[in-house]
Amino acid sequence: MQKYPMYIDGRFVDSASGQWFDSFNPYTGKPWAQVAQGNAEDADRAVKAAHKAFTTGPWPQLTASQRGMLLHRLGDLVARDANKLGELETRDNGKLIAEMQGQLNYVPQWYYYFGGLADKIQGSVIPLDKKGYFNFTRHEPLGVVVAITAWNSPLLLLAWKLAPALAAGCTVVIKPSEFTSVSALEFVKLVEEAGFPPGVVNVVTGFGKDVGPALTGHPLVAKIAFTGSDATGRAINETAAKSFKRVTLELGGKSPNIVFDDAKIDDAVNGAVSGIFAATGQTCIAGSRLLLQESIHDVFLEKLLALAKTARMGDPLSKETQVGPITNMPQYEKVLGYIDIAKKEGAQLMMGGGPATRPECGTGWFVEPTVFSGVNNKMRIAQEEVFGPVLSVIKFKDEEEAVAIANDIRFGLGAGVWTSDIGRAFRMSERIQAGTVWVNTYRAVSYMSPFGGYKDSGIGRESGIDAIHQYLQVKSVWINTGAATGNPFVLR
Ligand code: NAD
């Protein structure tokens, strides 16, 4: 089995403890690689290397345009190796090769976009109300950023953090998920090849509990950019608050996908199926609550079940496969646990409802695509994130009730609205409490468009121009051009 050491200060190194842990292939349920098992000592080494790179050495000497060019080069290298990186991610997280290679082909855009933005961040000259002073602002990088990612889209979620952080002039310690560390360790070779100085980008691998708090509580860390569960996000936010570290938190969701009776039904059926069964439901923006207007409920459900039942399960490396395995054993058990909860709550099982035992699923961690109808929005299956291929179907009467159900939840990440009425599309997009609303489409993202959560789905936004400001702080500079330095006891 190939061994993957971590990457600190421009060198691949073993962990301080010398221990390794297994990375599993979810399709076989067996280990396929070994990754260095870091601890607090490794976290400390990496943060100190990032801090040294931020304060001394070549990185702070580079102009913003030079940083932008490095990011461009990095984008080119990711594009060159997209197929290889996508395949590694599929081996590690079991998501479809079509999805992972599609993501990797798109990832370079974040490096190009923020590389282009690097030298367009300008302060302003303030036309002060006071004579005899010149006042201007500077946007300065925050410092060392810790980037912590989830397992479902490792290098995509990393690009959302790394590209703006580097464009801003920060240095970074990456902590990938313990379930999918390999692609970050391959990716960092491209960072080196692109010519980034040592210490600017570091990767510490290991279990969240071993290295997470050591990174997020480290006094030399200025900011934490995190994607993961709301429970971990809350713990990180508490730690960060103690030393006033900045945070960006991209957390979970329980997104409503709302279909009105004036929608193009076949399009909406495709949207509902892709909302929950694409990526085997392991996506933060899964449309896991399907809200159907009662007049179309039965016919819609019939069409949805007919389509979902055709989904081909199997090897995620095969281009034919449409639904792959669950990424890891604890998550597999969690998904099955929620299916039991839904059954006990009285939701009506329409398809699936347990482990997939089809021969093409081999020894992997597969769960049958599962649909529950007759779900009440108060049930746990409607309120809690499953992060698997489990859909809850909820009936509504009219627009008012659809809005009430959509918003009656502590999450607010995404929402889908399917309607042919343009006025309704605008009204719904205004009234739904979510960071993203898709109308007559679902699960679209772009490097140009801000992404993030309302309510418990997170703090801050990634992607889009403003994302770079989450890695900068503003300094106001006052120059006395002739004002008298008078009475020292009053505010000037
Ligand atoms: P998780 O919270 O268990 O782990 C995420 C990362 O945090 C991992 O790298 C883990 O090692 C690390 N971690 C764990 N404990 C830590 C601690 N105490 N301190 C610091 N780091 C710690 O989440 P997961 O199971 O890997 O991912 C699934 C979750 O991610 C879902 O809730 C999903 O909705 C969410 N997610 C959100 C987005 C988004 O953009 N909003 C995108 C993808 C996934």
Side-chain angles (χ1 to χ4, degrees), residues 149 151-152 175 178 212 227-229 232 250-252 284 385 387:
T149 49
W151 38 261
N152 57 336
K175 155 69 183 86
E178 51 269 47
T227 297
S229 64
T232 310
E250 298 287 0
L251 310 177
C284 52
E385 185 184 43
F387 217 62

Side-chain angles (χ1 to χ4, degrees), residues 5-19 36-53 144 146 171-174 198-205 211 214-215 218-221:
M6 53 183 118
Y7 185 76
I8 298 175
D9 208 10
R11 282 182 307 139
F12 284 95
V13 291
D14 289 353
S15 63
S17 70
Q19 291 184 315
Q37 188 175 333
N39 59 24
E41 201 180 323
D42 300 296
D44 182 57
R45 265 196 301 163
V47 172
K48 284 183 175 150
H51 188 257
K52 189 178 83 192
V144 177
V146 167
T171 58
V172 181
V173 178
I174 300 165
V200 172
V201 179
N202 308 272
V203 184
V204 176
T205 49
V211 283
L215 289 171
H218 201 292
L220 294 179
V221 169

Side-chain angles (χ1 to χ4, degrees), residues 76-98:
D76 285 346
L77 295 174
V78 175
R80 184 194 72 191
D81 289 358
N83 284 354
K84 176 180 148 192
L85 293 168
E87 190 178 318
L88 283 177
E89 297 213 319
T90 291
R91 275 188 209 290
D92 238 1
N93 73 3
K95 278 171 72 175
L96 303 185
I97 189 72

Side-chain angles (χ1 to χ4, degrees), residues 148-153 157 160 175-179 206-209 211-213 216 226-233 235-236 250-253 283-285 328 331 385 387 413 451 457 462:
I148 303 178
T149 49
W151 38 261
N152 57 336
S153 299
L157 299 174
W160 294 8
K175 155 69 183 86
S177 165
E178 51 269 47
F179 298 111
F207 294 97
K209 65 177 177 30
V211 283
T216 56
F226 171 78
T227 297
S229 64
D230 59 303
T232 310
I236 288 175
E250 298 287 0
L251 310 177
T283 149
C284 52
I285 47 180
N328 56 68
Q331 183 62 23
E385 185 184 43
F387 217 62
L413 193 59
F451 181 86
S457 289
E462 295 188 312

Side-chain angles (χ1 to χ4, degrees), residues 95-274:
K95 278 171 72 175
L96 303 185
I97 189 72
E99 163 102 1
M100 297 327 286
Q101 287 186 341
Q103 283 190 13
L104 263 299
N105 281 316
Y106 197 30
V107 159
Q109 298 304 327
W110 272 265
Y111 295 105
Y112 298 144
Y113 181 80
F114 286 101
L117 206 50
D119 58 6
K120 290 162 198 71
I121 303 302
Q122 299 166 351
S124 33
V125 174
I126 314 289
L128 270 193
D129 59 323
K130 296 176 197 294
K131 291 273 180 230
Y133 295 101
F134 186 79
N135 180 231
F136 65 97
T137 57
R138 294 165 47 83
H139 294 266
E140 298 182 346
L142 286 173
V144 177
V145 172
V146 167
I148 303 178
T149 49
W151 38 261
N152 57 336
S153 299
L155 290 182
L156 181 73
L157 299 174
L158 177 60
W160 294 8
K161 297 158 183 55
L162 192 61
L166 296 176
C170 294
T171 58
V172 181
V173 178
I174 300 165
K175 155 69 183 86
S177 165
E178 51 269 47
F179 298 111
T180 55
S181 302
V182 169
S183 63
L185 292 164
E186 281 294 334
F187 163 82
V188 85
K189 293 178 186 165
L190 305 183
V191 172
E192 195 171 279
E193 189 180 340
F196 284 86
V200 172
V201 179
N202 308 272
V203 184
V204 176
T205 49
F207 294 97
K209 65 177 177 30
D210 297 336
V211 283
L215 289 171
T216 56
H218 201 292
L220 294 179
V221 169
K223 151 130 196 174
I224 301 146
F226 171 78
T227 297
S229 64
D230 59 303
T232 310
R234 189 168 287 112
I236 288 175
N237 206 17
E238 282 169 11
T239 305
K242 291 192 185 117
S243 51
F244 302 102
K245 293 179 177 27
R246 312 291 196 279
V247 292
T248 308
L249 302 172
E250 298 287 0
L251 310 177
K254 190 79 187 181
S255 301
N257 208 354
I258 308 167
V259 187
F260 288 96
D261 59 8
D262 59 10
K264 288 186 181 157
I265 296 298
D266 290 338
D267 287 355
V269 167
N270 277 334
V273 166
S274 94

Side-chain angles (χ1 to χ4, degrees), residues 433-465:
Q433 296 157 359
T436 300
V437 177
W438 292 283
V439 177
N440 295 331
T441 185
Y442 202 83
R443 215 172 163 250
V445 294
S446 166
Y447 51 92
M448 295 180 180
S449 183
F451 181 86
Y454 277 32
K455 305 197 271 190
D456 288 10
S457 289
I459 296 176
R461 294 290 177 271
E462 295 188 312
S463 302
I465 288 177

